[in-house]
Amino acid sequence: DESLQLINLGLDIVADSFYPFKISLSNIEFIFSEKDSLQVNKALEDEENNPFIEFYQGIIKDQILLYQPKIICISFTAPTQIIPAFTLLRMIKKHDSSILNIIGGNVVTRLKEFFTRDNVLSGYYDLIITGEGESKLPVICKSILDGENIKQPDINKYNFSPTNVSLVPTPNFDDLNLGDYFDIKPILPIFASRRCYWDKCTFCDIPFGYDVTHRARNAKNIVDEIEYLSKKYSVS
């Protein structure tokens, strides 16, 4: 509790420079509404009220300039991530318009009709991937790197099957400094299934972010991953 209070105090101090912007461990609040695409677009150039513009300058310098990627994929799963995500997308395009920006995630999947048509934000991304991306992204990225000029309607020519969750590789956490987190030992996520077997709650957004059916991993697959992560990252 003391650590949590200290973190929130530090976040309050940071956010105070951009009042009424607020940031916490669970939420971000701008003066702009993420529900209005015109306001989102306005936020992308407002350095006074959008601290992510300054923050991403370092990302552009340390990551984009260093690695010079041809494709960048950004996934956002909550509405509060829309402004931060599009702030970065805009800055990437401004830095190098030849980089292909691919977006996906729960928000993009739910708002597919908006993102697949011309809109005030469409100049900041090139393609959208809906649902789960493990089987889709490698195929699409390989086609792009092989020289194909893929446009959004071309995505429909690929007949992707729902992801076989037992074949999804174990996530790699090597680039994360797990010792920087406020906990006694590292905590890593493990998923046992995709989507929901019940799938009937009208208030829930989980069905919109995944492929069409509920799929569960087998027990051995899960146990093997737990043992592997525990040994590699000293997770108990």
Side-chain angles (χ1 to χ4, degrees), residues 143 148-160:
S143 297
E148 291 189 40
N149 183 23
I150 297 180
K151 302 296 183 182
Q152 190 62 48
D154 299 331
I155 302 295
N156 296 326
K157 72 179 182 181
Y158 299 100
N159 185 22
F160 294 109

Side-chain angles (χ1 to χ4, degrees), residues 173-181 186:
F173 300 97
D174 289 355
D175 291 336
L176 298 179
N177 189 347
L178 299 177
D180 283 349
Y181 290 86

Side-chain angles (χ1 to χ4, degrees), residues 60-128:
I60 297 293
K61 178 181 178 182
D62 297 335
Q63 301 293 328
I64 310 301
L65 291 177
L66 178 62
Y67 295 105
Q68 297 183 328
K70 295 182 179 180
I71 303 171
I72 292 180
C73 304
I74 295 180
S75 174
F76 36 110
T77 60
T80 54
Q81 296 173 327
I82 291 176
I83 291 176
F86 274 97
T87 300
L88 181 56
L89 288 164
R90 176 183 177 275
M91 293 178 70
I92 291 170
K93 282 297 185 184
K94 186 177 180 181
H95 163 70
D96 186 347
S97 60
S98 69
I99 295 176
L100 267 72
N101 286 337
I102 301 178
I103 62 173
N106 189 289
V107 172
V108 174
T109 302
R110 281 186 285 156
L111 300 177
K112 175 183 177 181
E113 292 186 5
F114 172 80
F115 285 114
T116 50
R117 67 172 187 261
D118 287 338
N119 61 77
V120 70
L121 303 173
S122 58
Y124 307 129
Y125 61 93
D126 301 283
L127 295 172
I128 77 164

